[in-house]
Amino acid sequence: MSIKQKGIVFTVIATVIFGITPAIGKLSYALGNNGIQLSFLRHLIVLPLFFLIVVYRKESFHLTKQQTVDVVKVGLGSAFTIVTLYSSYSFIGVGSATVLHFLYPLFVVLLNFFFYHQKLNTKQILCLVIAIVGVFCFVDPSFDSMIGFFLAVISGVFFAYYMVGMDHSTIRQLSPYVFNFYLVLLNVVLIFILALLTNSFHAMPIEGYLLSGIVAIFTSLIGVVLLQKGIYCLGASLTAILSTLEPMTSVVVGILFLNETMTFFKVIGCILVLISTFILVKNQNA
């Protein structure tokens, strides 16, 4: 198998994992779980694993003052991305939520435009228009649907903030394992405080914790590692394009295993959002 073929396999498996785990997480909601508690458990479970990896690799935990500030900045984006996305699953289907979350490349472009004065080209403006039309296809006047819609879109904004923060910071100088350890640690603290303030901690049967553990291991360790290997083998451009399999996987899994429905307009919206994302990512990495 060639390096390119390996990269495709790694990336496809990673995106399928990221597409399936939301459904696994949502199954735990029926057992007393919720978006904030699942976010907390996902990070708490993998925190000691990242600590052991850093120790095993004999890497330094030291951060400079600026690196500490940058980790806190992007950590806020990471924590609220997961909290808002996981919370949206309580109100709308995981497929719809993941598609709306995948508006984040457009938000990256807009953040760079407003804060870093990067000009918008014709393709980016076209993608923005297509995505807005696609988003309106998901609008449902019901109260619960509007809350889920808002949370899913906001998760894309927070993720864009996280990505832009990564791009314009000293974090690139850090070992990815050290960075992930501090990122997970910060998320544990922030989400713990949020859970206390919102009274989001609830006891669950053992099955609820097992499902949360599956989500944690598969997303934060296996999925992330495979995606990193995919980038190494294929480069950022092709990997990003293949990642659009994630929302499609979530849509299919939601329909097959969670009895979620997709209306005609939502199917059109899904197609439009994915087209805009595909064009935008390909254009940015050309």
Side-chain angles (χ1 to χ4, degrees), residues 74-75 77-78 81 157-167 179 183:
V74 301
S78 173
T81 293
V157 175
F158 280 124
F159 191 60
Y161 166 79
Y162 164 79
M163 293 188 71
V164 172
M166 289 278 291
D167 194 35
F179 166 65
L183 184 67

Side-chain angles (χ1 to χ4, degrees), residues 14 16-29 33-46 49-50 82 85-86 89 94 204 207-224 246:
V16 169
I17 286 173
F18 290 135
I20 292 175
T21 48
I24 297 174
K26 189 166 182 175
L27 288 174
S28 70
Y29 290 12
N33 211 355
N34 58 71
I36 296 176
Q37 181 168 269
L38 177 59
S39 302
F40 174 75
L41 291 173
R42 167 181 164 173
H43 291 93
L44 181 66
I45 290 169
V46 299
L49 299 179
F50 276 114
I82 298 170
L85 182 59
Y86 282 7
Y89 300 155
V94 295
M204 298 185 292
E207 292 86 355
Y209 294 104
L210 288 175
L211 289 172
S212 300
I214 291 171
V215 172
I217 299 299
F218 273 85
T219 54
S220 297
L221 283 181
I222 299 175
V224 169
E246 180 182 335

Side-chain angles (χ1 to χ4, degrees), residues 1-11 230 233-234 238 242:
M1 186 180 292
S2 68
I3 293 179
K4 184 175 182 180
Q5 289 173 327
K6 288 181 180 179
I8 292 174
V9 171
F10 292 149
T11 304
C233 296
L234 298 176
L238 185 52
L242 287 173

